[in-house]
Amino acid sequence: MAGLRMGAGRDGSRPGAGPGPRPAPGAGPPYGLLRYGLRAGLVDWLLARVPTPRRNPFALGYLAVVGATTTFSKLADPELVLRLQAASSSDGHNLLHHPLRALLLSGFWVAGTIWMPYLWAFAFTVAPLERRIGPGRAAAVFAIGHISATVLSQSVVILCVETGRLESEAMDYLDIGVSYGVLASLGALAGLLSRRGRLLALGAAGALLAEQYTSDQDLVTGIGHPVALLAGVVLWRWLRGGPDRRSRRREPASPPPSPAPAPASGGAAVLDRM
């Protein structure tokens, strides 16, 4: 007990130690602030990726149009909806007689009356692509994927009908939807991600295509979906050379600095006179 008394006073301070402020009750490492910082950082990360009209005018505008046509097809007269969709279809018959109308309007409808899956499809493909490259280039990627996949797949259908491998009714099968543009956006987005993200995106796309091959033997889908994905992959080089990089290439090189004037000296004056 004597040792205990000599080693510490009544207030717990050691002999010879100067007076100092006592630690506040509960003071210690700022774990609360650390948890708050993690939560704030996660919220900021999520909020920076939520589509907004300012960041994603193309994605949200396109979703609004598709939502309007989906609502119309659900509420309007079924015969009227079928006539409008048939006039907008990008089937072989319409492509041969009304190509511009078919290519433009076929992408404003979805197959069926369910809109929510397309919201998630745009949120994870078109919206992040638009945030990286801008609305104009995102719209171009979407259009290139939609047009190239439609033309190539329907060209195969027309060729098969002409050679007798398919019945003539295949030229009039309804062909509408946004899947070509979504897959092209996914393929293009993969080229802007890290190597791990690129492999993950392409692997998910490959698994989706494989699942469609096993569950749906439709010729148009089997050709159009891989073509749309490859169309986005082909655009990698164009998308990686963004506007900032192109402006840097066009920026003229700065002129070399002019040499500093030689200090005045006697020897320099003699050389000048000579």
Side-chain angles (χ1 to χ4, degrees):
M1 294 296 293
L4 292 177
R5 293 193 187 95
M6 292 178 61
R10 290 183 180 180
D11 57 355
S13 60
R14 292 185 177 181
R22 294 183 180 181
Y31 296 119
L33 293 177
L34 179 61
R35 289 195 297 268
Y36 173 76
L38 290 176
R39 286 198 295 268
L42 178 61
V43 170
D44 292 341
W45 185 86
L46 291 175
L47 290 178
R49 285 155 177 80
V50 173
T52 63
R54 185 174 182 178
R55 287 196 292 257
N56 297 108
F58 170 71
L60 293 181
Y62 207 102
L63 273 176
V65 173
V66 172
T69 57
T70 305
T71 304
F72 174 80
S73 64
K74 188 175 183 179
L75 301 178
D77 179 62
E79 293 185 1
L80 174 61
V81 172
L82 184 58
R83 287 199 303 268
L84 292 177
Q85 289 182 347
S88 306
S89 173
S90 56
D91 52 68
H93 183 271
N94 279 345
L95 282 180
L96 291 176
H97 294 86
H98 311 285
L100 294 180
R101 185 186 71 187
L103 290 173
L104 177 63
L105 298 183
S106 61
F108 292 146
W109 299 86
V110 298
T113 58
I114 302 177
W115 178 78
M116 188 59 65
Y118 300 97
L119 170 64
W120 295 112
F122 271 69
F124 286 105
T125 58
V126 181
L129 178 67
E130 184 180 9
R131 286 196 300 268
R132 287 168 170 82
I133 65 176
R137 287 152 68 87
V141 171
F142 195 96
I144 291 172
H146 177 74
I147 294 174
S148 60
T150 299
V151 171
L152 186 56
S153 60
Q154 290 297 335
S155 297
V156 174
V157 172
I158 295 173
L159 181 61
C160 290
V161 170
E162 292 294 330
T163 57
R165 298 184 179 182
L166 286 177
E167 64 278 6
S168 59
E169 288 79 6
M171 295 275 290
D172 296 319
Y173 289 164
L174 194 66
D175 187 17
I176 56 175
V178 298
S179 58
Y180 293 160
V182 169
L183 282 171
S185 300
L186 176 59
L189 177 64
L192 305 178
L193 302 177
S194 63
R195 184 175 182 180
R196 182 177 300 178
R198 185 180 310 127
L199 293 176
L200 180 62
L202 294 179
L208 176 64
L209 295 180
E211 191 275 334
Q212 288 178 347
Y213 274 122
T214 57
S215 62
D216 187 3
Q217 301 297 326
D218 181 62
L219 176 63
V220 174
T221 301
I223 297 175
H225 283 180
V227 169
L229 182 66
L230 290 177
V233 173
V234 169
L235 296 174
W236 282 2
R237 185 171 183 179
W238 174 58
L239 296 177
R240 287 170 177 172
D244 295 338
R245 187 176 298 180
R246 291 199 306 270
S247 62
R248 286 196 297 268
R249 287 201 299 264
R250 290 195 299 265
E251 185 176 328
S254 56
S258 57
S265 61
V270 172
L271 292 175
D272 288 342
R273 284 195 297 269
M274 292 178 63

